[in-house]
Amino acid sequence: MPAELTRFFWIFGLFALGSSSDAFLLLRLSEVAGGARHLPLVWAALHVVKSSSSLIGGSWSDKVGRRNVITLGWLVYAAVYVGFALSTTFVALLAWFLIYGLYYGLSEGSEKALIADLAPESQRGVAFGLYDAVSGFGALLASLVFGAVWTWYGATVAFGFGAVL
C-alpha cells in the first residue's frame, strides 16, 4: 500500500477514535427536549442536510482538493461536538445537529474519493475494506469510551473529549 495512503489511514484512525455513534447526539437532543417525540423528524432533517451538502462537498473535493475538504469536514465535526458540549437548549442543539450534516456531506465522499485516488487499482478493494474496518472499529471503541466518559463525568465532558479527538 502506498505510504501516502497508509498515512491517511493512521490519521483517519485517530479521527475515528473520536467519532462515536450518532446515537449520543440523539440521546442528548432527547434529554434536552424532554423525550424522543421529535427525533424521527430531526433525523430526517439531518439526512436532508447530509444529502444536499454531499453535492457541494463532492464538487469542492474535485476543485480544491480532497484533503482540504476532509479537513474542513473534520473541523465541522469538532465544532459540532464543542457546540453539543456547551449548548443547553433544544434549539441550539438542533442547529448543531443540522450542521453535523455538513460534516458528512464534506467528508464522507471525499474520504472515499481520496482512497480511490491513492490506492493502486489492484489494491482498491483492500483499501476500501481497511477504511470500513478502521471506521467501524474506531466507532465501536469511541462509543465505548464516550459512553463511559458520559456516565462518569457527564455529557459536556464526553462531547468535549470527542471534539478534541
Side-chain angles (χ1 to χ4, degrees):
M1 198 158 299
E4 196 173 5
L5 185 58
T6 302
R7 206 169 26 256
F8 169 75
F9 279 128
W10 278 107
I11 294 167
F12 178 70
L14 288 174
F15 174 77
L17 289 176
S19 186
S20 60
S21 172
D22 293 348
F24 290 111
L25 298 167
L26 293 171
L27 178 62
R28 182 73 178 126
L29 278 165
S30 69
E31 281 184 349
V32 172
R37 190 172 112 200
H38 300 292
L39 292 187
L41 185 59
V42 169
W43 187 250
L46 170 74
H47 287 281
V48 169
V49 173
K50 181 179 173 179
S51 300
S52 302
S53 62
S54 291
L55 296 171
I56 296 165
S59 176
W60 283 358
S61 178
D62 292 337
K63 290 178 184 169
V64 301
R66 311 218 192 284
R67 288 177 190 84
N68 293 330
V69 177
I70 292 167
T71 300
L72 179 59
W74 290 0
L75 289 171
V76 169
Y77 181 95
V80 167
Y81 268 55
V82 168
F84 262 74
L86 300 177
S87 299
T88 57
T89 67
F90 179 75
V91 172
L93 290 171
L94 176 61
W96 284 115
F97 191 69
L98 295 177
I99 293 168
Y100 185 61
L102 294 175
Y103 148 70
Y104 277 115
L106 293 169
S107 61
E108 212 170 38
S110 298
E111 291 166 358
K112 292 174 184 174
L114 181 62
I115 291 167
D117 290 346
L118 296 177
E121 190 173 336
S122 64
Q123 294 180 326
R124 282 197 189 129
V126 171
F128 281 111
L130 184 57
Y131 170 79
D132 285 331
V134 169
S135 179
F137 286 125
L140 176 61
L141 185 56
S143 295
L144 291 171
V145 171
F146 191 98
V149 171
W150 186 321
T151 299
W152 295 329
Y153 302 105
T156 300
V157 174
F159 280 106
F161 179 72
V164 168
L165 283 174

